[in-house]
Amino acid sequence: MEIRALIIDDEPLARNVILEYSKRINNLTIVEACEDAVQAIEILGNTNIDLLFLDINMPMLSGISFLKTLKNPPLVIFTTAYAEYALESYELNATDYLKKPFSFERFLKAMNKACEQLSLMQAQNKQESTLNKAAPDGYVFIKANKKTYKVNFKDILYVEGLGDYIKIQLRGQHIVTNLTMKKMYDILPSDCFYRIHKSFIISLDNIETIEGNMVQVNKVKLPVGNSYRQDFFQIINKWFPG
């Protein structure tokens, strides 16, 4: 994961220290090194920035005042010679606070925090899109009992594996057909259905409750398999902590 960062510091020596340290971190790219916050405004408006290295005590506009003007700020690591600003910086949800002069080891520790936060944010954004997205208007034709059924994706509650067959549970009825779980999983839209067990695929939009290792869909409790548990609960725990 590449991290695109912006340095905002009025001291040339401080900017150079961060630039030199940054060269030792492969996934960190310094987009620009600015002398003041005003210069940074245009860059933030035109460029995707993941992280700010932000000095606090600067002319015209302090780092803290500048941060308060940003509607959707990137992650921030404050860099300053003044320890008295630490509390206020954390109240602004700063990732870290580096008191000058700081070693590469301390810089690396701050970067590890930033990497962890960015990874979590990306995962949350991805899962938010998945969990909040309504079932699509598409459909699939299923052959069963010498008939061909048109099955709308939005009507599928879950799919259960039955040996060489699968049961597609719909609202008010079910269809048993000669398909493998893998084949059905490939057919279903990946952003709306999730395989929680070797024998179960569920509609994310129709999850009612989750208790222990059981997921309830349409009043039916379905188990989460061992090999699927970590990925599934990693998604769920980010959105329903505790």
Side-chain angles (χ1 to χ4, degrees):
M1 176 183 63
E2 181 190 15
I3 299 177
R4 294 169 57 82
L6 181 65
I7 301 171
I8 308 174
D9 198 311
D10 64 318
E11 299 177 8
L13 178 60
R15 295 196 301 271
N16 288 335
V17 167
I18 297 175
L19 285 169
E20 287 301 314
Y21 284 171
S22 299
K23 292 177 183 178
R24 306 182 195 179
I25 301 177
N26 292 332
N27 65 330
L28 177 59
T29 299
I30 302 297
V31 175
E32 188 65 71
C34 303
E35 296 180 0
D36 56 60
V38 175
Q39 183 184 354
I41 292 174
E42 183 177 356
I43 297 172
L44 286 171
N46 298 320
T47 309
N48 291 326
I49 299 295
D50 303 307
L51 175 65
L52 296 179
F53 292 104
L54 183 58
D55 188 21
I56 291 179
N57 190 17
M58 294 186 293
M60 291 191 290
L61 188 64
S62 74
I64 288 177
S65 297
F66 171 67
L67 183 59
K68 290 178 179 178
T69 69
L70 300 179
K71 182 177 293 185
N72 296 302
L75 296 185
V76 175
I77 296 175
F78 280 113
T79 59
T80 181
Y82 302 94
E84 60 266 27
Y85 294 110
L87 179 59
E88 187 173 4
S89 73
Y90 286 116
E91 289 176 348
L92 293 171
N93 296 319
T95 297
D96 210 337
Y97 184 96
L98 298 178
K99 186 177 181 300
K100 301 174 185 177
F102 47 85
S103 65
F104 175 72
E105 181 180 1
R106 183 65 184 86
F107 179 82
L108 182 59
K109 183 178 179 179
M111 279 303 306
N112 287 337
K113 287 184 182 180
C115 286
E116 184 177 348
Q117 288 186 16
L118 284 169
S119 295
L120 180 60
M121 289 165 61
Q122 288 182 1
Q124 287 176 335
N125 289 337
K126 181 178 179 181
Q127 297 311 323
E128 180 180 31
S129 175
T130 298
L131 292 174
N132 291 339
K133 191 167 185 177
D137 293 328
Y139 55 87
V140 62
F141 286 104
I142 298 293
K143 293 182 178 180
N145 302 321
K146 298 181 180 180
K147 298 179 182 178
T148 299
Y149 296 83
K150 179 182 177 182
V151 178
N152 293 312
F153 291 138
K154 63 183 179 181
D155 293 332
I156 299 175
L157 299 173
Y158 62 88
V159 178
E160 181 178 358
L162 302 172
D164 294 331
Y165 292 80
I166 60 169
K167 180 177 76 173
I168 304 172
Q169 184 65 52
L170 307 171
R171 300 181 186 279
Q173 66 169 318
H174 66 264
I175 298 171
V176 177
T177 186
N178 185 14
L179 276 177
T180 64
M181 288 288 284
K182 183 181 183 305
K183 178 65 175 178
M184 189 63 189
Y185 196 43
D186 290 341
I187 291 171
L188 294 170
S190 61
D191 55 350
C192 299
F193 292 87
Y194 200 91
R195 191 168 185 177
I196 61 168
H197 188 278
K198 67 178 182 179
S199 299
F200 292 104
I201 301 167
I202 62 171
S203 164
L204 293 172
D205 195 50
N206 286 290
I207 293 176
E208 294 174 346
T209 63
I210 299 170
E211 183 177 1
N213 292 324
M214 304 297 290
V215 179
Q216 182 169 305
V217 178
N218 195 40
K219 299 181 180 180
V220 177
K221 292 186 177 181
L222 307 174
V224 180
N226 290 334
S227 60
Y228 302 88
R229 183 175 297 140
Q230 182 175 351
D231 289 342
F232 179 68
F233 282 101
Q234 185 176 19
I235 292 170
I236 298 302
N237 288 336
K238 287 172 183 175
W239 290 102
F240 307 100

